[in-house]
Structures are given as structure tokens and as C-alpha cells.
Amino acid sequence: MWDSESDSVAGRDYDNGVISSTKHGVQTDRFEQRGKSWFVATDVPSDFLVQIGDVCFHLHKYPLLSRSGKMNRIIYDSRGIDLSKIAMDDIPGGPEAFELAAKFCYGIAVDLTATNISGIRCTAEYLEMTEDLEEGNLIFKTEAFLSYVVLSSWRDSILVLKSCENLSPWAENLQIVRRCSESIAWKACANPKGIRWQYTGKPMKVSSPGWNEMKDSSPSRSPVPPDWWFEDVSILRIDHFVRVITAIKVKGMRYELIGAAITHYATKSLPGLIKEAGASGLPEEGSSTAVSGHWKGGLHMIVAGNRDDPTSTSQMRDQRMIIESLISIIPPQKDSVSCSFLLQLLRMANLMKVAPALVTELEKRVGMQFEQASLGDLLIPCYNKAETMYDVDLVQRLLEHFLIHEQMETENPNRLSMHEGVPRSNNSNAKMRVARLVDSYLTEVSRDTNLSLTKFQVLAEALPESARSCDDGLYRAIDSYLKAHPTLSEHERKRLCRVMDCQKLSMDACMHAAQNERLPLRVVVQVLFSEQVKISNAIASNSVKETGGSNYQPMVQNRKTLLEGTPQSFQEGWAAAKKDINTLKFELETVKTKYLELQHDMENLQRQFDKVTKPKQQSAWSSGWKKLSKITKLSAMENNVESPRNAAQAKKAPRRWRNSIS
């Protein structure tokens, strides 16, 4: 029944939305307005005055009594008094709706439209214009118009729901809000291919269809985008928007579309939910949109109106109600809305002093997808002037929620809770992204002189050691903190540097740390020692690889096989890593060659030094002892010479004796 809105009235007994009553006691065809008073254009003088606010209606009792039960009861209760005037300041719809109801009582044709039907329906209920007094009374005709005309039209349903904003609680009690919300929800969940009614959203731009698609596509209509209904429902008041979104959830719409609709509504309803300075996320210098002069954060808000304006309090109250309502209807599934939107909403929630329970719920939602945040999103100012420039405690709580959520996923890897669309595949990658984000945040907030060492240390040590494969970002944050806090004692500087692992620093960071005068001497020694250990291990591993190169060949083959089965993005990352490894190998070879050359030169110098210093090491005592040893040697030699002579004589004696005998 939604195929066309132009024929929604045709074929029904409503005379194109014009209703009238043929029974009336006073002959007239119009009302006349004189100033703020209304008069019936008739010769019969009026005998009854109805006053609504500052507007007066000079009417007759009989037409009102014949169709209004409330007028019957009022006049009957005052039958002892000549009642000629009554005040009805509490009538729903105000004087405009009562004027149309009074015209109906006089038999004047009334034009029912989407903008006035809700007011006339509530006024008819207030005046008790039921079928008991007259068949085809105003309640019956307005109900029929609502059911058969308004609810079958997308545009009329939106307009009627918009007109119900000033008719509470009558519109709620008469189920006008509920019926319009469900009608809008049904149409919003309809298949976009079957939508033929008009909507405010612009159609999607598409390219020209191919020759084989011309038969199935209508040349007069462009494709309908899935977010065609966002713009129309964004004009509703927040309570009615919540009713529509709730009805859409019941109908089973995808949570991504619901989250996108909420984001669109928040962008239009909250003037402070804006982004400055393009893609960089940082405001320009001298921007007047910052909350305070010293804050130069990224995404931030502007409260509509001047703070000195007395109406700003009511505006803040309205914005607080919008924020609280939006938080309550965000789909529980993860990634239903972006993390950037959640952080912007959290920023405004802290500024508007939203209920603490809702703020906590919003912080938990941010923790679920904390790895998607950016540095500009986290630079949330602290609105308490006595504390730091940025709300570091808030980021600490967000990080705790993230770690709790990661721990739950680790314990139950196959769990698919209601808060997740799909389970996260790799927790380590998420932790590494969060670690880089936290290091960048620490570098930014460390420039604040009011940031205490304890807050810095707690936030830096919140993540496990496995989350950081390299501590260069943490070293950069520590150096920035030392630069902004030059009055730290030696103990405090050691305590600050304790959060960093020197073995995880890159070569460039080690070179910078070795020349950094702000670091404690012990930390510099640790950096140099860790770098020396790295070089020694690299040289040793390279030597082992050269001696047993055949052992590494299968590993290379397996690595190639693995790369062939990995996506292109991983292959590109591995190619970059391989290039860095080759560069490091070349540097290690150079260091090894220099090391061997220095060792050879040192051995040559040692030999030359020994030759030069050897003669000079003799002293007077040593020369004396040498002379004495020479004398001893000579005496020993003489004794050795004499002893052979005696032995020869002893041998020759018998020889002589033998000769003598012979």
C-alpha cells in the first residue's frame, strides 16, 4: 500500500482530506478574526465565550453541546449559574486546533493535513467528540484519516510525528507516536528496490548501466541508497527518534545501518560534534574553536551559544539529553559505530556532565575497539582547571577496559558475545597498535608541566611487555618528559627510565640515547652495553652461519614457500623487512672487518711495544746479578776442565805401567 502516495487519499470517503458536518444549529459558512478574537459570521448573537490563552472565541452553546461531551458536562454542572465564559488553557493543540474543531461543530468544511491532524485528533479527544453524541463525529474522522491516509505515506508519517512534539502526553496516550514510529520503521526496513515514495536524501551516483542491464532497470528511476531514510528521520526530536530506532531494531535492520543513522543524527543535532583542520585532526593556530587557549587537541566541541547567555543552560540541558539518549540506543555489536564517533561523544559527555553510569558504558564501548582510535581522538581536555591539560585518567580507564576485553577474548577465543560482530582474529596485533597509540599519546601529553611522574609511569606500564616489539616510541616520550621537567631529581629520572627496556631500542635510538645528557649515567651505560651485546651476538651468529651455511638452506626454502601462500600485503611487508635485514648484515660485516683490522693493529703495536721496552727494563741490580752468574759459570767451567785432565792422567798411568813392563 506504499507504492504511491499520490493516490493514498483517492477512493476514500474523506473528500481529499476535507471533512464537514451537515447538522448544525446556526447557519454560517466562515469564521471572522478581529484582532485576537474569532467571531461566527452569522446574524445570531453569540452567547458563549471560550478563551484559550490570549485568544477569544465568541461562539454559540448549541453547536458545541451537540458534539462535545466535555462542553455538555461543563454546562450541566453549572446549570444553576448563567455560564457565558470558559477558559481552556490546557487544551492540546492550542487555539489553532480548537478553531478547526469549532468549525467542524458549525458544519464548516475542515481541511485535514499531515501538519494539523495530530492537533485536531488530540483536541477532539479533549472535547470528547465521540460517536455517542453524533455519528461520524470528529474523533472517528480524524482516526480514519490517520489510519488510512497518514500511516500509508512516508512523508506524512514523518510530518505527523514531528507535529506531535508539542502534544505530549496526549499524542502518546492516543498511540499516535507509536503508530507513526512503526510505520516509519516498516518503510525504512523495506527493500530499496521497491521504494517509490519521495524522500529527502539524495540518490546514489552510479555509472551508466551496461547493455545487458537495460532490460531490468527503470530508466526513470535511479538506484536508492541504503541510507535514504537518514536525512528524514534526523528532523525528529530525540525522544521520537529513539522510538523510531527502537522500532527499526525490532524489525531486524543491520546494526551497521542503525549505527550510521545514529551518527548522522548526532552530527546534525549536536553542533559541537565537529572535526577541525581536515585530515590532520589538529586545529589551526589561533583557532577560536578550542575550549581553552592552551589546548591544541584534535576533535573537539563547541557549545552552541555564549556561556554568559542565560539560554545556554537550557541548550546544555537539551544536548545532555540528546547525548544520553544516543548512548542508550547504540547497537551493542562491535563496530556498529566508529571509535572516533564514540570518543567525540565521550568528549561531549564529559563536558555536559552526563550521568556517570552512561559515561562508564560509553568508556567500555570505546575499550572494545580502542585499537581503532587515533591520537587526535584521545586528546580530550581535562575540564578541571586544577589538573592536567589532558584527561590522562580517562585514557587510563579506556586502556584498562581494552585490556579486560582482550583478556576475556584470550580466555574464550571462540566466544561470540552480543557486544561483538565478529571475534578478533589476532590480539597481539591489536595490542601492538594500542602500544604505538599510547606511546604517541605519552609523547604529546608529556609536554604538560602539570603531568605527574606517577601518572606517566602508570600509563606507560599498563600494557604488557609483549605489546611493544620496539621501545623507540616510549624512549621518545621519556625524552620529551625529561625535556619538559628539567627539575627532576636523579632518583626520579631513574624511576622514569625504568619503564623502558634498553634492549628493545633501535640503533638510531641507541645513538641518540648515548649522547643524551638528560638521561641518567646508568641508563646510558645500559644502552651502550645492550648495543655491544647485540653487535657481538650478530657477529657470532653470522660466523656460525658462514661455517654451517648448509643448515640454513631449508629455512630459506620454507620461507619462500610460506611467502607464496601469503597475501600481497604481507609479502610487501616481508620484502621491506628483508631489505632492512640485508642492510643490517652489510653493516655487521663492515663492523666485523673493522674489528679484525683493529685487533691486528693492536697485536702489531703490542709486539713493537715489547721490543722497545725490553732493553730499558734492566737495572743495576739485574746487571750485578748477571755478572755474578757469569763468574759462577766460569768457575764451573774451569772445574770441569781440570777434572778431565786428572781422569786422563789416571788412565795413562796404567798405560805407562803397561809400557814399562813391556
Side-chain angles (χ1 to χ4, degrees):
M1 63 179 177
W2 303 329
D3 287 346
S4 177
E5 293 188 355
S6 60
D7 59 349
S8 60
V9 182
R12 311 186 193 277
D13 297 331
Y14 306 119
D15 298 331
N16 291 331
V18 179
I19 61 174
S20 62
S21 176
T22 57
K23 297 180 180 179
H24 52 84
V26 180
Q27 297 292 333
T28 183
D29 58 352
R30 69 182 188 279
F31 277 21
E32 295 179 353
Q33 184 177 12
R34 303 169 188 172
K36 291 186 177 181
S37 299
W38 287 90
F39 296 88
V40 182
T42 181
D43 296 336
V44 181
S46 61
D47 57 354
F48 194 68
L49 176 64
V50 178
Q51 184 173 0
I52 304 174
D54 56 351
V55 181
C56 298
F57 292 87
H58 299 269
L59 307 174
H60 302 83
K61 290 183 179 179
Y62 177 73
L64 299 178
L65 292 175
S66 62
R67 294 170 179 83
S68 174
K70 186 177 182 66
M71 291 295 185
N72 270 285
R73 189 172 58 257
I74 291 175
I75 295 176
Y76 177 78
D77 292 341
S78 60
R79 57 186 178 276
I81 305 173
D82 187 11
L83 184 64
S84 60
K85 180 180 179 181
I86 184 175
M88 291 185 174
D89 295 333
D90 59 340
I91 187 171
E96 295 82 6
F98 180 78
E99 174 198 349
L100 299 176
K103 288 181 178 180
F104 177 80
C105 293
Y106 278 89
I108 302 174
V110 177
D111 186 12
L112 297 181
T113 62
T115 55
N116 64 18
I117 184 61
S118 57
I120 298 176
R121 175 66 184 89
C122 295
T123 300
E125 189 71 23
Y126 177 86
L127 296 175
E128 301 174 11
M129 304 176 70
T130 63
E131 295 294 295
D132 297 337
L133 298 176
E134 181 180 351
E135 184 178 356
N137 210 344
L138 190 57
I139 291 180
F140 172 78
K141 295 197 173 184
T142 51
E143 273 293 331
F145 186 82
L146 279 171
S147 300
Y148 294 103
V149 179
V150 172
L151 299 182
S152 63
S153 169
W154 167 262
R155 178 178 175 274
D156 290 348
S157 299
I158 295 289
L159 293 178
V160 170
L161 193 56
K162 180 67 176 176
S163 64
C164 291
E165 295 178 356
N166 300 322
L167 297 174
S168 299
W170 289 90
E172 289 283 351
N173 296 335
L174 296 175
Q175 304 297 319
I176 300 176
V177 174
R178 181 189 62 80
R179 288 182 289 175
C180 289
S181 300
E182 291 183 354
S183 174
I184 294 171
W186 276 112
K187 296 176 177 63
C189 295
N191 189 351
K193 294 182 179 179
I195 293 177
R196 298 183 181 275
W197 53 82
Q198 296 181 353
Y199 55 89
T200 305
K202 296 181 179 179
M204 185 186 304
K205 295 182 179 179
V206 295
S207 59
S208 300
W211 64 271
N212 55 349
E213 299 176 355
M214 294 297 292
K215 296 184 292 183
D216 298 332
S217 61
S218 175
S220 60
R221 297 179 62 248
S222 58
V224 178
D227 59 348
W228 62 268
W229 52 278
F230 289 3
E231 189 68 24
D232 288 333
V233 299
S234 64
I235 69 172
L236 300 175
R237 199 172 62 182
I238 182 61
D239 54 340
H240 295 160
F241 177 78
V242 170
R243 295 288 294 270
V244 171
I245 293 297
T246 304
I248 288 176
K249 286 182 180 179
V250 174
K251 302 298 184 295
M253 179 173 284
R254 301 198 314 270
Y255 64 87
E256 299 94 341
L257 276 178
I258 296 177
I262 294 173
T263 304
H264 183 82
Y265 184 88
T267 304
K268 294 182 68 69
S269 301
L270 298 174
L273 207 67
I274 62 173
K275 184 181 291 187
E276 286 289 325
S280 63
L282 298 174
E284 297 178 357
E285 293 290 338
S287 176
S288 60
T289 59
V291 175
S292 58
H294 59 270
W295 179 58
K296 301 224 176 344
L299 303 172
H300 58 283
M301 54 279 149
I302 309 170
V303 181
N306 190 0
R307 291 183 178 271
D308 299 331
D309 190 358
T311 61
S312 61
T313 303
S314 61
Q315 292 176 353
M316 292 182 64
R317 191 185 309 114
D318 294 340
Q319 290 194 349
R320 185 187 307 119
M321 182 178 64
I322 293 174
I323 294 172
E324 292 176 349
S325 301
L326 292 179
I327 294 174
S328 62
I329 63 174
I330 294 177
Q333 290 84 359
K334 184 190 172 195
D335 295 332
S336 58
V337 293
S338 65
C339 186
S340 177
F341 170 74
L342 292 175
L343 286 169
Q344 293 179 63
L345 208 60
L346 181 60
R347 186 196 305 271
M348 292 199 69
N350 290 332
L351 177 63
M352 301 296 173
K353 301 186 185 307
V354 172
L358 291 175
V359 173
T360 302
E361 181 65 23
L362 191 58
E363 291 177 356
K364 292 180 180 179
R365 291 298 309 273
V366 175
M368 288 171 52
Q369 48 198 100
F370 191 56
E371 71 276 7
Q372 302 173 5
S374 62
L375 177 60
D377 297 330
L378 293 181
L379 294 178
I380 301 176
C382 185
Y383 299 106
N384 188 354
K385 296 182 180 179
E387 295 184 1
T388 57
M389 183 189 309
Y390 300 98
D391 198 344
V392 182
D393 295 334
L394 173 60
V395 178
Q396 176 70 29
R397 292 195 300 271
L398 298 178
L399 186 57
E400 291 175 357
H401 291 309
F402 168 77
L403 294 175
I404 292 173
H405 184 71
E406 291 293 317
Q407 183 65 27
M408 294 174 61
E409 282 193 344
T410 303
E411 295 175 355
N412 301 307
N414 297 324
R415 179 179 62 90
L416 187 63
S417 69
M418 64 177 295
H419 295 281
E420 301 173 80
V422 291
R424 185 178 292 127
S425 58
N426 195 341
N427 293 349
S428 60
N429 291 338
K431 288 182 180 179
M432 292 178 66
R433 288 194 295 269
V434 170
R436 290 193 294 267
L437 178 63
V438 171
D439 293 346
S440 300
Y441 180 79
L442 287 172
T443 305
E444 187 70 24
V445 301
S446 62
R447 302 184 180 96
D448 184 11
T449 56
N450 294 328
L451 180 63
S452 64
L453 177 60
T454 302
K455 286 188 177 183
F456 184 95
Q457 185 177 6
V458 169
L459 185 57
E461 294 178 342
L463 286 168
E465 295 183 0
S466 59
R468 293 185 176 93
S469 59
C470 180
D471 278 8
D472 285 5
L474 196 57
Y475 167 70
R476 190 181 300 108
I478 292 173
D479 183 54
S480 178
Y481 189 88
L482 291 173
K483 188 183 299 182
H485 301 77
T487 59
L488 291 178
S489 62
E490 185 71 14
H491 173 71
E492 291 175 336
R493 288 190 294 156
K494 290 180 180 179
R495 174 185 163 192
L496 175 64
C497 296
R498 201 172 295 132
V499 303
M500 175 184 60
D501 188 357
C502 298
Q503 296 181 359
K504 291 184 178 181
L505 295 179
S506 64
M507 185 177 296
D508 294 336
C510 289
M511 293 178 61
H512 186 277
Q515 303 174 3
N516 194 345
E517 298 179 353
R518 290 182 289 271
L519 294 178
L521 181 60
R522 183 175 182 180
V523 176
V524 176
V525 173
Q526 290 178 355
V527 170
L528 294 176
F529 177 75
S530 63
E531 187 64 20
Q532 181 65 27
V533 170
K534 289 179 185 178
I535 295 176
S536 301
N537 292 337
I539 293 174
S541 63
N542 193 23
S543 300
V544 172
K545 184 177 178 181
E546 289 178 353
T547 56
S550 59
N551 297 330
Y552 288 86
Q553 189 65 23
M555 185 179 297
V556 175
Q557 294 177 355
N558 294 335
R559 195 172 296 170
K560 290 181 179 179
T561 305
L562 181 62
L563 285 176
E564 292 176 356
T566 55
Q568 184 66 24
S569 58
F570 289 94
Q571 293 186 18
E572 294 176 356
W574 170 249
K578 188 175 181 181
K579 183 178 179 181
D580 296 339
I581 292 173
N582 293 333
T583 304
L584 182 60
K585 287 181 179 179
F586 177 75
E587 293 177 354
L588 290 176
E589 291 292 338
T590 305
V591 172
K592 181 181 177 182
T593 304
K594 292 182 179 180
Y595 177 76
L596 295 175
E597 292 177 356
L598 290 174
Q599 188 175 9
H600 181 69
D601 294 342
M602 186 182 68
E603 292 177 355
N604 294 334
L605 290 174
Q606 184 65 34
R607 287 194 295 268
Q608 295 177 6
F609 180 77
D610 293 340
K611 292 180 181 179
V612 172
T613 56
K614 187 174 181 180
K616 296 181 180 180
Q617 290 179 354
Q618 296 180 355
S619 59
W621 288 99
S622 60
S623 60
W625 283 108
K626 287 182 178 181
K627 291 180 180 180
L628 182 61
S629 62
K630 287 181 179 180
I631 294 172
T632 305
K633 289 180 180 179
L634 291 174
S635 62
M637 290 176 64
E638 291 176 354
N639 292 330
N640 292 332
V641 171
E642 290 179 355
S643 59
R645 290 178 180 177
N646 294 332
Q649 292 176 1
K651 290 179 180 180
K652 290 179 180 181
R655 193 172 185 179
R656 290 176 184 174
W657 179 74
R658 286 194 300 268
N659 294 333
S660 64
I661 292 177
S662 60

